[in-house]
Amino acid sequence: MKLFYTPGACSMAIHIALNEAGVKYELEKVDLQSKKTESGLDYLVINPKGYVPCLQLDNGEYLTEVSALLQYIADSNPSKNLLPPVGDLARYRVLETANFVSTELHKNFGPLFNPALDNAARKERLELIGKRLDIVNSQLEGREYLVGDQFTIADAYLTTVLGWATFAKLDLAAWPNLGAYAGRTMSRPGVVATLKAEGMM
Ligand SMILES: N[C@@H](CCC(=O)N[C@@H](CS)C(=O)NCC(=O)O)C(=O)O
């Protein structure tokens, strides 16, 4: 498998899941401005959507979309318990949370990376993200991870998105459970290996 990624972007969730699953993979960096990969390939030929992540599977096919890729990696490595089995209610709790991270957090952070965003729009966006973080902070009350005591694909995704808080000048101290959680997930060997490989630490 080969992961097409951009350091620190949402593709990091896939990178974390691959490391947590303990599978072998290659990495190829994508420049999102030029749409070229580090080996000089035209990324738009690989993934016409133009964004990361994209995973080249062992059969040569390309698979995209964070949520689909996370499930693919978890279901291909069931012994790592990154996603409970079909039929187990806990599976749908993990998917419920991963979807929340995708649509309510990831997508709301996106515009903050646009330097043209004016201050009023930025403030409004940060307030909305804050309300969503209130929900996650409550979900983490008395828990190690988002769904119980097991690190899952939802945690791989949230860990990635929380990494954007510093850039967005969002102080996680306002959400004590989240701050403690970020400290826990960021010190997992699979996450540390990911951060190092992406040059983020
Ligand atoms: N729907 C996509 C969204 C992925 C996405 O937002 N990727 C961002 C990085 S976090 C990106 O590559 N943006 C560059 C672009 O859209 O050109 C998914 O879930 O995988």
Side-chain angles (χ1 to χ4, degrees), residues 9-11 32 35 50-53 65-67 102 106-107 157 164:
C10 54
S11 46
L32 290 171
K35 307 292 179 196
Y51 51 66
V52 290
E65 301 299 319
V66 173
S67 298
S102 172
H106 175 181
K107 281 295 146 186
Y157 205 168
W164 302 340

Side-chain angles (χ1 to χ4, degrees), residues 3-50:
L3 174 64
F4 291 88
Y5 79 107
T6 299
C10 54
S11 46
M12 199 167 94
I14 310 307
H15 197 174
I16 291 173
L18 289 167
N19 280 334
E20 290 283 341
V23 295
K24 286 205 178 120
Y25 59 89
E26 293 169 49
L27 288 173
E28 179 134 6
K29 205 186 292 184
V30 178
D31 180 334
L32 290 171
Q33 299 303 318
S34 64
K35 307 292 179 196
K36 289 273 180 213
T37 75
E38 62 185 324
S39 70
L41 300 174
D42 180 351
Y43 185 58
L44 290 173
V45 172
I46 293 162
N47 178 13
K49 291 170 175 170

Side-chain angles (χ1 to χ4, degrees), residues 1 11 15-16 26 46-47 53 69 76 88 141 154-155 201:
M1 277 188 295
S11 46
H15 197 174
I16 291 173
E26 293 169 49
I46 293 162
N47 178 13
L69 291 172
S76 305
D88 183 336
E141 185 65 40
D155 297 294
M201 75 182 293

